[in-house]
Amino acid sequence: MAAPMLRGVSPVRRWSLAWVDGGSRHRRTSPNGSTSNRIREQSSVAQQPLHTAQKPRKGGHKWAAVVGLEIHAQISSNSKLFSGSQVSFTAPPNSLVSFFDASLPGTLPVLNRRCVEAAVMTGLALNCRINKKSLFDRKHYFYADLPAGYQITQQRLPIAANGSLSYGVFVGNRWSHMATKTVRIKQIQLEQDSGKSLHDDLRSQTLIDLNRAGVGLLEVVMEPDLSCGEEAAAVVKELQLILQALGTSQANMAEGQLRVDANISVHHPGEPLGIRTEVKNLNSIRFLARAIDHEIQRQINELESGGEILNETRSFDPKLGCTVPMRDKEGKQDYRFMPEPNLPPLVLYDTASLPAGADSQQVINIDQIRDALPELPSATRKRLVQQYGMLPEHSFALLNEAGLLQFFQNVMKETRAEPKKVTSWVLNTLLGYLKHHNLAVSESPITPSALAGLLDLLDSKAISSSAAKQQV
Amino acid sequence: MLGRTLREVSVALKQGQITPTELCRKCLSRIQRTKFLNAYITVSEEVALKQAEESEKRYKNGRSLGDLDGIPVAVKDNFSTSGIETTCASNMLKGYIPPFNATVVQKLLDQGALLLGKTNLDEFAMGSGSTDGAFGPVKNPWSFSKQYREQKREQRRPKLHREREGTDWLIAGGSSGGSAAAVSALTCFAALGSDTGGSTRNPAAHCGLVGFKPSYGLVSRHGLIPLVNSMDVPGILTRCVDDTAIVLGVLAGHDPKDSTTVQDPVKPFTLPSLTDVSKLCIGIPKEYLVPELSSEIRSLWSKAADLFESAGAKVIEVSLPHTSYSIVCYHVLCTSEVASNMARFDGLEYGHRCDVSVSTEAMYAATRREGFNDVVRGRILSGNFFLLKENYENYFIKAQKVRRLIANDFVNVFNSGVDILLTPTTLSEAVPFLEFIKEDNRTRSAQDDIFTQAVNMAGLPAVSVPAALSAQGLPVGLQFIGRAFCDQKLLTVARWFEQQVQFPVLQLQGLMDDCSSAFENEKLASVSLKQ
C-alpha cells in the first residue's frame, strides 16, 4: 500500500511517491503547517507552473490549509444493520435484499448487535466517550438507491464522541525522522449504507442494485485539524490499520469498504477560515492525498487571482488529476431530520450499571468489550521497538504492508540472526523484490522459513551478502 | 348462526353443530348480499375456503387449534397479507401483493382463523369517515337497519323508501369503516382495524360494535402499513367484549420484528367476571364536556356515570388540563411522520409507477401525484413544512413537548386513584354521507378525533362500547380509557358495562330471509351477554 512512511526506508521504485510530485520534496515552514506552498502534481493534461517554495514569496501572504475528514467504514458483519439479509460484496445484483431493505411498507428496523459492538470497539480504540444512550434519526432525501426515501443515521446523539487518533508523519528533510501528531475525533455514528446506482448512458437508464442498501456503516467524523494531503493519508492509513486490527471493518478502499470525504478550505493565518469545499470519490489513499493537495492549490490559485471559492461538492478525477464540481449536488439540501420512531433509544451498560439478572443476549457491557480489545497498531509498533530495538519508522513500515509483520515474526521465530538484520532484509530486500514484481506478501515466492534459512547461512558466514541477495 | 358471538360459534364448531366450510360459505354469501355496503375491497374466497377445509380436518381429528379455529375474520386493507392484494385504498398500491403476512395476521392464521377478505378504509388510514378511499366510501349498515328506518318513518322524514343505492345512507366512521361494517353486518365475527387517532373506536361507535385500542407496545405493528409509527396500533372490532378478549389473547406479545413491542411476557387473557364495582374509581374528564357534543350523547354519558355510581363505584370529576392543545399537537406530529413514511412510495420498488421517463425527478413527481389523493398529499406537504430545519424546533419539538404534557395529564389522573376514565367516543351518532362531505377531511378529522386522539398520543389502552340507540335508532358508543398495559382490567370493566346496557343487535332489512333471521337476532340479545 502506498504510504508516506515507506519513502525513507526502502530504495523502492518511486511508484509510491507518484502522488507527491515529479520528484521534488515539499516542505513546511513550521510544525503546524501554517504555510504550505504546495507543489502541484504535474498532470499530463493540464500543465501548470511549479510552485517550488523554499520560503514565502517576497511580499506574498502565507496560506494555511484546513482539512477535515469524514470517513465511512463498512462494518464487517454477517448481516445488515437493521435487517437479516447477508452482507457480501460479490453477489449477483439484488440477491441480498430483504423486505426491509427494499422498503416494503410495513417492515420495521431491528438493530444488529454485532454492529453496535463494532461501533463500541472502534469508539474505545479511538479514545472516545461511549454514550450510554444514543438515538437514531431519519435523514430524508430522494434518490433511487435509497428505497425508503430516508437513511437511518445518528444525528442528534451518536454512539461515541470526543476521541482522538494519533498518527505518524515524517518531519523536515530527513525522511527517517517521525513525529506523532493527533487528530481529534468529533463523533462516531452508526448508519445505513445506500444501494448502488449504475448509469447506463447508452440506454438513458439507471440500474439499481440494492445489495448494499442497509449495510452497516461507521461514520467517523474528524475535527479539521489537518493541513495537507500527507497528513490526511497518514490518518486514513492509521484508521485502516486500527479497523483491521479490531476486525470491525476490512477497510479496503478499492472495494468501497472505506470511503473518505474531505472538507478543505484555505485562509491567511490570523484571518477567519475560508469557504470550504467538499471533495468526494476518493477511493485510494494515494488519490486522497493528491486530491487534497490539488484542491488546496486550486483554492489558493483561485483566491490569488481574485476569484472566490464556492461552497460546493467536488469530485476527484484521477485521470485528469484534478477536482471537478459534481453536477448533481445542486443547492442546499434540507434533510428534514426526524427521530426514527421505530427504534427506542440505544442503551449501553458498563459493569457498574448493568441491571441485575439482565439477559446477556439483550445487553451490551462496554467494560467487557474494552477488556477484550485486541492489540492496536500503536501498541504493536511500540512493542516492536522495545522488543527488537528497531527504529519507529521501521515499525510503521512493517505494519503498513499487509502480511509483512506476520512474515517478519515468522522469520524471527526460525532464525538466529539479529533483529536488526532481519528487519533490514525484510524491509529492504524482500519488500523491494515484491514491489518490483508487483506482488503482495501473500504471493511471495520466498517463504519465511526460506528467508530464515538464508539469514542463518549469512550469519554463519557461509555465504556472502551479495550472494544471499542474488538468491532472493 | 352469523349473529352469534365468536365464543358461541367456536363452541358450535367444536360440538359439530356446524362445520368451518358451512360457516365460511354462509359468511361469503352474506358478503355478496351486503356488497352494497362496500365494506370489502378484496374477498379472498378461495383462500378462505381452503383454510376452512383444513380447519375441518383438524376438528374431525379432534385437534382444533383453539377458540379461533375455523372462525371467519376480516382484515383492514392496510395490513400486509401474503399473496393477497393490499392497497390501503390507494392508487399507489393498487395491484401490490405483499410477500409476507403482518405479524397479527400470521397469528390469526396460526390459530386457524379464516381470512374472508380485506376491508375498505380511508386512503392510507387518513380520515374519520371511510369516505376518502380509492374504492369508494363505506356505507354504515345501520343506514338500512330496521331500527333506523322505523325511526325515520315515525318522524315522517322525506325520502322514506330509499333503495340501497340511494343517497341518504350514513357514514360508517373511519378510518376502519370497512372492518366495522363487515362485523356489524354479520359477515364475520371479528375484524382487524388500526387505530392512530381513533380509527378503530370511531367506526365501532357508529356501527354499534366494541372497538378496542390496545396499549402501544402490546401488539406488533410489523406488517401494518404505517400512518404514524409512534401512535399506530392494530385494533380489534367485535360484537362483544368477550370476543375482543379472545382475539387480544392471540395477538398480544413481544415480536422480535417490532422493536417497539414490550418484552415482558404476556399472560393469557381470560376476563374475570366482575360483579362488584365498589372498589372501582371512575374518572370523568371535565375538559371533554365540549359544546359540540350532542345533547343525546351528553345525557347518555351522564347516565353511564350514574350507572356506575349506583352500583357502588366511586365516580369523580377529573382534569386533563392540556386537552385543548392535543388536536394541534396531533396534527403536527401526525403530518410529520406521514411525510416521512410516504417517502418510500416512489414507483421504483413496488406499487404504481407513472409513464413519465424524462428524468427520475419527473417520474417521482408524476407517480406520487397520480398515486396519492389530496388528503395524503396535503399531509405530506404539511409534514415536510414542519420538518424543515427552520421550523423543526418551533413545531415538531414543541409538539413533542406538548405530547409529553398530555401523556403526563393521564399519568397524574391514574396516579391519583382513578382506575378508568369514562368519556364519549364521538360527538354525535353517524351522520349522512352527504352532510359529512360538506366539510373537508382535515376539518372532519379534527372534529371527530377529539375524544380519541389524546389516547394515541399517550399510548394508552381504550375501548368503545356500544351504549344505546339514539332517538334516530342509531348506535352510540362510550369510551373507557385505562392505564398503560392494564388492558385486561380495562376490558373487564367494559364487559361489566356491556352487561348492564344490553345493547341490541343490528337488524338488517331485506336480509331476514337467511339464517341470520330476526328470531336468531332476538335470541342473541339475551344469550350473548351471558357466559
Side-chain angles (χ1 to χ4, degrees):
Chain A
M1 292 288 283
M5 280 66 75
L6 281 175
R7 281 181 298 171
V9 252
S10 51
V12 296
R13 235 174 24 144
R14 285 291 174 103
W15 65 269
S16 63
L17 307 180
W19 59 263
V20 176
D21 51 48
S24 39
R25 303 167 193 179
H26 66 83
R27 59 183 69 214
R28 260 165 260 146
T29 54
S30 63
N32 63 6
S34 59
T35 300
S36 48
N37 284 339
R38 295 284 128 210
I39 296 153
R40 270 279 298 283
E41 161 76 345
Q42 287 200 359
S43 69
S44 53
V45 176
Q47 292 293 324
Q48 301 286 341
L50 271 177
H51 294 268
T52 51
Q54 303 294 331
K55 47 181 171 258
R57 273 175 287 169
K58 219 187 325 185
H61 292 272
K62 293 183 192 181
W63 285 102
V66 175
V67 179
L69 299 178
E70 276 167 25
I71 301 171
H72 290 88
Q74 265 183 350
I75 300 174
S76 179
S77 61
N78 289 333
S79 54
K80 298 184 179 180
L81 182 56
F82 294 116
S83 73
S85 40
Q86 215 197 339
V87 175
S88 160
F89 305 109
T90 50
N94 292 314
S95 61
L96 303 172
V97 184
S98 68
F99 300 147
F100 174 76
D101 302 331
S103 81
L104 293 193
T107 53
L108 300 169
V110 180
L111 186 54
N112 178 330
R113 186 205 171 93
R114 157 68 185 161
C115 292
V116 178
E117 288 173 348
V120 174
M121 286 171 74
T122 307
L124 291 171
L126 294 178
N127 307 303
C128 294
R129 175 192 77 235
I130 305 295
N131 286 326
K132 292 229 188 82
K133 178 169 120 166
S134 61
L135 305 169
F136 289 99
D137 302 291
R138 293 184 181 179
K139 177 180 180 182
H140 301 86
Y141 61 94
F142 285 102
Y143 206 72
D145 62 19
L146 194 67
Y150 58 84
Q151 174 202 36
I152 301 180
T153 176
Q154 292 190 299
Q155 189 243 5
R156 286 170 292 159
L157 194 55
I159 191 166
N162 290 355
S164 63
L165 170 66
S166 295
Y167 61 102
V169 273
F170 289 100
V171 284
N173 249 346
R174 303 171 57 238
W175 294 343
S176 56
H177 184 45
M178 298 215 66
T180 307
K181 301 187 100 173
T182 306
V183 60
R184 292 170 297 161
I185 308 283
K186 178 157 182 257
Q187 65 188 52
I188 299 176
Q189 60 202 57
L190 281 165
E191 57 184 39
Q192 292 174 304
D193 207 346
S194 65
K196 278 203 188 130
S197 305
L198 298 131
H199 299 291
D200 177 359
D201 291 320
L202 205 61
R203 293 190 197 81
S204 296
Q205 63 184 12
T206 302
L207 307 170
I208 308 291
D209 176 12
L210 294 180
N211 281 352
R212 201 184 67 178
V215 169
L217 290 178
L218 289 175
E219 179 171 341
V220 181
V221 182
M222 299 181 175
E223 300 286 7
D225 295 340
L226 308 177
S227 61
C228 65
E230 183 193 12
E231 288 182 352
V235 164
V236 173
K237 181 68 193 175
E238 186 67 9
L239 181 64
Q240 249 183 350
L241 292 177
I242 291 174
L243 293 171
Q244 286 162 356
L246 292 173
T248 53
S249 172
Q250 289 167 52
N252 182 330
M253 282 183 87
E255 284 182 17
Q257 292 162 347
L258 192 75
R259 289 165 240 155
V260 181
D261 300 333
N263 291 300
I264 301 160
S265 71
V266 296
H267 67 285
H268 295 300
E271 286 180 19
L273 296 179
I275 308 274
R276 64 170 188 197
T277 60
E278 188 189 12
V279 181
K280 292 175 100 77
N281 276 357
L282 304 165
N283 51 25
S284 82
I285 294 198
R286 195 169 16 147
F287 290 160
L288 144 74
R290 271 173 75 188
I292 290 172
D293 286 339
H294 169 273
E295 178 60 17
I296 289 170
Q297 192 59 53
R298 183 193 76 83
Q299 289 193 12
I300 291 173
N301 290 348
E302 188 68 37
L303 291 171
E304 281 185 343
S305 57
E308 60 172 14
I309 305 300
L310 298 171
N311 175 222
E312 59 180 353
T313 304
R314 299 176 73 90
S315 155
F316 180 66
D317 186 325
K319 292 199 208 89
L320 295 175
C322 61
T323 61
V324 292
M326 281 176 81
R327 264 170 297 118
D328 45 346
K329 299 268 175 171
E330 284 166 35
K332 269 185 120 176
Q333 281 259 32
D334 190 329
Y335 293 112
R336 290 161 283 129
F337 285 97
M338 185 186 92
E340 168 56 69
N342 293 315
L343 291 170
L346 173 60
V347 176
L348 304 173
Y349 300 93
D350 52 28
T351 310
S353 63
L354 202 59
D359 179 2
S360 63
Q361 290 298 316
Q362 291 292 323
V363 295
I364 285 185
N365 183 340
I366 301 170
D367 289 334
Q368 243 174 27
I369 293 181
R370 185 185 287 112
D371 293 339
L373 283 179
E375 186 179 68
L376 294 179
S378 51
T380 308
R381 286 189 292 256
K382 213 170 172 174
R383 182 167 55 79
L384 288 173
V385 167
Q386 278 172 355
Q387 194 175 353
Y388 301 116
M390 67 173 70
L391 293 172
E393 303 85 83
H394 296 169
S395 69
F396 271 91
L398 276 179
L399 260 61
N400 281 349
E401 190 66 33
L404 196 61
L405 175 63
Q406 190 61 50
F407 193 103
F408 169 83
Q409 284 174 327
N410 288 345
V411 173
M412 284 304 303
K413 268 189 226 153
E414 295 188 35
T415 188
R416 295 189 308 265
E418 271 186 11
K420 276 203 168 72
K421 203 87 185 164
V422 180
T423 306
S424 173
W425 271 79
V426 167
L427 287 178
N428 294 331
T429 319
L430 174 71
L431 194 57
Y433 173 83
L434 291 175
K435 290 303 171 194
H436 186 68
H437 294 273
N438 231 342
L439 294 170
V441 173
S442 54
E443 295 164 328
S444 168
I446 308 155
T447 64
S449 307
L451 185 59
L454 196 63
L455 289 173
D456 282 347
L457 287 176
L458 194 61
D459 193 60
S460 61
K461 312 256 193 271
I463 57 173
S464 74
S465 171
S466 49
K469 285 200 175 126
Q470 260 188 352
Q471 280 293 309
V472 173
Chain B
M1 184 60 68
L2 292 189
R4 298 213 175 161
T5 67
L6 199 160
R7 191 180 282 288
E8 286 172 342
V9 168
S10 184
V11 166
L13 285 168
K14 288 192 189 94
Q15 290 175 353
Q17 287 172 31
I18 187 169
T19 69
T21 311
E22 284 166 348
L23 187 59
C24 188
R25 286 198 194 282
K26 273 196 212 286
C27 288
L28 288 168
S29 152
R30 182 100 176 163
I31 292 175
Q32 278 309 304
R33 270 161 328 129
T34 52
K35 224 170 164 175
F36 57 94
L37 296 174
N38 204 18
Y40 286 82
I41 294 176
T42 303
V43 179
S44 44
E45 184 165 323
E46 272 178 42
V47 166
L49 286 170
K50 186 159 183 298
Q51 291 165 346
E53 203 182 298
E54 283 158 20
S55 175
E56 205 157 307
K57 281 194 203 122
R58 287 191 292 268
Y59 275 109
K60 270 213 183 87
N61 297 333
R63 286 212 214 96
S64 69
L65 294 166
D67 289 337
L68 285 181
D69 203 339
I71 302 287
V73 299
V75 167
K76 187 174 179 183
D77 207 17
N78 59 354
F79 286 92
S80 303
T81 43
S82 181
I84 300 175
E85 193 184 8
T86 299
T87 67
C88 296
S90 175
N91 283 325
M92 188 59 90
L93 289 178
K94 264 192 191 157
Y96 169 63
I97 300 180
F100 68 99
N101 279 324
T103 298
V104 288
V105 171
Q106 191 61 51
K107 285 186 167 187
L108 291 175
L109 295 177
D110 287 345
Q111 285 293 308
L114 314 180
L115 181 55
L116 292 177
K118 311 297 293 297
T119 58
N120 204 350
L121 58 153
D122 283 302
E123 181 161 336
F124 280 110
M126 299 185 202
S128 58
S130 302
T131 53
D132 284 325
F135 298 96
V138 177
K139 296 181 183 168
N140 191 328
W142 285 83
S143 317
F144 312 99
S145 69
K146 195 159 164 237
Q147 290 98 328
Y148 180 57
R149 296 285 160 180
E150 267 169 6
Q151 291 305 316
K152 286 179 84 176
R153 240 189 309 261
E154 272 178 28
Q155 287 157 29
R156 280 182 207 170
R157 287 217 197 143
K159 304 172 194 168
L160 284 177
H161 301 286
R162 278 292 167 198
E163 307 292 328
R164 286 164 188 176
E165 292 75 38
T167 51
D168 64 344
W169 50 271
L170 311 162
I171 57 159
S175 59
S176 313
S179 281
V183 176
S184 172
L186 311 183
T187 66
C188 60
F189 295 91
L192 289 185
S194 67
D195 196 310
T196 307
S199 291
T200 292
R201 292 162 283 157
N202 174 297
H206 286 321
C207 294
L209 299 174
V210 173
F212 176 65
K213 177 210 168 293
S215 300
Y216 183 88
L218 186 63
V219 178
S220 171
R221 287 181 300 111
H222 172 255
L224 167 59
I225 297 174
L227 174 57
V228 182
N229 285 290
S230 65
M231 299 185 204
D232 288 350
V233 292
I236 303 171
L237 291 136
T238 55
R239 294 194 286 274
C240 69
V241 176
D242 190 49
D243 289 352
T244 285
I246 297 174
V247 178
L248 182 61
V250 166
L251 299 184
H254 175 62
D255 182 10
K257 295 190 188 127
D258 179 352
S259 306
T260 59
T261 53
V262 290
Q263 304 214 345
D264 304 334
V266 168
K267 284 171 268 182
F269 272 81
T270 6
L271 292 184
S273 267
L274 181 65
T275 43
D276 175 21
V277 294
S278 59
K279 300 219 177 57
L280 213 55
C281 178
I282 306 288
I284 309 287
K286 66 180 188 197
E287 290 83 2
Y288 281 44
L289 183 60
V290 294
E292 297 84 3
L293 181 62
S294 83
S295 52
E296 241 186 317
I297 299 189
R298 190 165 75 230
S299 130
L300 194 64
W301 185 18
S302 184
K303 282 202 195 112
D306 292 339
L307 188 68
F308 277 97
E309 204 161 40
S310 51
K314 187 163 154 215
V315 179
I316 57 170
E317 187 187 76
V318 296
S319 177
L320 299 170
H322 297 93
T323 300
S324 60
Y325 304 117
S326 75
I327 198 73
V328 236
C329 174
Y330 175 79
H331 176 75
V332 170
L333 296 177
C334 173
T335 52
S336 299
E337 284 216 36
V338 163
S340 179
N341 291 334
M342 297 296 144
R344 66 187 60 213
F345 296 107
D346 54 15
L348 285 175
E349 299 85 17
Y350 46 80
H352 174 66
R353 179 171 174 158
C354 67
D355 288 328
V356 173
S357 53
V358 166
S359 72
T360 316
E361 257 79 46
M363 192 274 287
Y364 286 157
T367 295
R368 288 163 71 82
R369 201 202 178 293
E370 290 168 14
F372 292 137
N373 71 6
D374 286 350
V375 177
V376 177
R377 298 211 321 275
R379 293 201 193 187
I380 292 173
L381 287 171
S382 308
N384 277 327
F385 174 79
F386 297 134
L387 290 176
L388 288 176
K389 212 164 167 182
E390 66 253 28
N391 294 329
Y392 185 72
E393 185 75 34
N394 287 333
Y395 288 96
F396 190 88
I397 298 284
K398 217 25 151 339
Q400 289 283 40
K401 290 179 178 173
V402 173
R403 180 179 180 175
R404 175 62 64 191
L405 292 176
I406 290 168
N408 284 346
D409 279 355
F410 285 101
V411 169
N412 293 336
V413 161
F414 287 124
N415 281 346
S416 70
V418 172
D419 298 300
I420 304 279
L421 295 171
L422 169 62
T423 79
T425 309
T426 56
L427 287 169
S428 71
E429 78 244 306
V431 299
F433 172 73
L434 290 177
E435 194 180 305
F436 184 80
I437 56 172
K438 282 185 188 155
E439 299 277 11
D440 65 37
N441 182 296
R442 180 155 115 70
T443 310
R444 284 298 181 204
S445 298
Q447 291 166 346
D448 299 335
D449 286 347
I450 190 166
F451 300 121
T452 49
Q453 38 89 341
V455 164
N456 295 84
M457 294 221 278
L460 300 173
V463 61
S464 179
V465 181
L469 289 182
S470 70
Q472 286 197 80
L474 294 174
V476 172
L478 289 175
Q479 174 178 238
F480 295 92
I481 305 171
R483 201 197 273 261
F485 299 106
C486 293
D487 300 56
Q488 188 173 351
K489 183 174 187 178
L490 176 69
L491 288 175
T492 305
V493 173
R495 191 168 72 164
W496 180 89
F497 178 76
E498 175 188 66
Q499 284 165 339
Q500 310 309 308
V501 299
Q502 302 219 340
F503 184 80
V505 178
L506 167 73
Q507 295 165 37
L508 265 184
Q509 281 184 311
L511 295 169
M512 307 299 207
D513 49 321
D514 74 0
C515 294
S516 53
S517 62
F519 169 76
E520 287 225 333
N521 282 346
E522 279 162 31
K523 196 168 78 159
L524 174 63
S526 55
V527 164
S528 66
L529 298 174
K530 295 195 193 123
Q531 286 311 319

